[in-house]
Amino acid sequence: MRSTLALATLLACAAPAAAHAEWEALDADAIVEACWADVQPDIDSGVTLRMQQGIAAVSQCLRTRIMENTAPLFAATGYTPKQQLADIDRLTQSAGSFYWKLYNENRACAPACGTLARVQAGAEIPDLLERLLRDVVETRNQFRM
C-alpha cells in the first residue's frame, strides 16, 4: 500500500498538468519583431518626439505581450495580473530613472547632455522588456508538452 501511494505521488508530481497540452510553442523573435515593426520608422526618424513616442509604443507592446504570455503560467495562482503588471512597472520605472540620471544628469553633462541622451535613456526600457519577454517565452516553452 505504501509503495503504491509513493508511486502514485511520484507519478502525479512528474506528470505535466493538463493545461500544458493547450500551450503552443512560441517564437520569441517573432513576437519581439512584431512589436518593433510598426514603430521602427518613428524610432529611426531622427525627430526626438517621434523617437520617444516610438520607444514608448514598443515598450507598451512588449509589456502587453509579457502579460498575455504569463497568463497561463500564473493562472490559478495567487500572483494576479495586477500584481504582475505592478512588478513590471516597478522594474521599468526604476531602470528608467537610473538610465535617465546616467545619461542626462551625470557631472560630464553640464549644462546638458543633449537630445540624444534623452532618447537613449528611454531606449533602454524596450531592451529590458524584451529580455523579460524572452524569459517568459522560454519558461512557457520549457513547460509545454
Side-chain angles (χ1 to χ4, degrees):
M1 174 73 174
R2 255 181 133 167
S3 62
T4 305
L5 181 58
L7 179 59
T9 303
L10 178 63
L11 290 175
C13 291
H20 293 182
E22 298 171 14
W23 298 1
E24 60 190 45
L26 300 172
D27 181 353
D29 290 335
I31 296 169
V32 168
E33 287 173 22
C35 283
W36 285 95
D38 290 339
V39 298
Q40 197 64 55
D42 289 329
I43 294 170
D44 294 340
S45 72
V47 177
T48 303
L49 181 59
R50 283 186 61 199
M51 294 169 77
Q52 290 171 321
Q53 289 171 337
I55 290 166
V58 76
S59 294
Q60 184 56 45
C61 179
L62 291 166
R63 184 180 285 109
T64 299
R65 299 303 165 260
I66 290 166
M67 293 301 297
E68 289 170 356
N69 288 293
T70 57
L73 290 170
F74 296 121
T77 70
Y79 191 36
T80 68
K82 185 176 179 177
Q83 292 168 324
Q84 295 164 43
L85 189 56
D87 284 346
I88 293 167
D89 287 346
R90 272 193 299 278
L91 180 68
T92 57
Q93 288 167 0
S94 294
S97 175
F98 178 83
Y99 280 115
W100 180 266
K101 288 173 178 63
L102 177 64
Y103 295 141
N104 292 284
E105 296 179 13
N106 68 71
R107 288 180 10 186
C109 282
C113 285
T115 304
L116 184 56
R118 288 192 291 268
V119 173
Q120 186 179 7
E124 301 296 342
I125 302 308
D127 292 341
L128 177 66
L129 291 168
E130 198 175 305
R131 167 72 191 271
L132 183 56
L133 176 61
R134 289 179 187 283
D135 290 343
V136 168
V137 168
E138 181 181 333
T139 301
R140 276 193 58 168
N141 287 344
Q142 178 182 355
F143 290 108
R144 65 179 281 279
M145 290 178 64

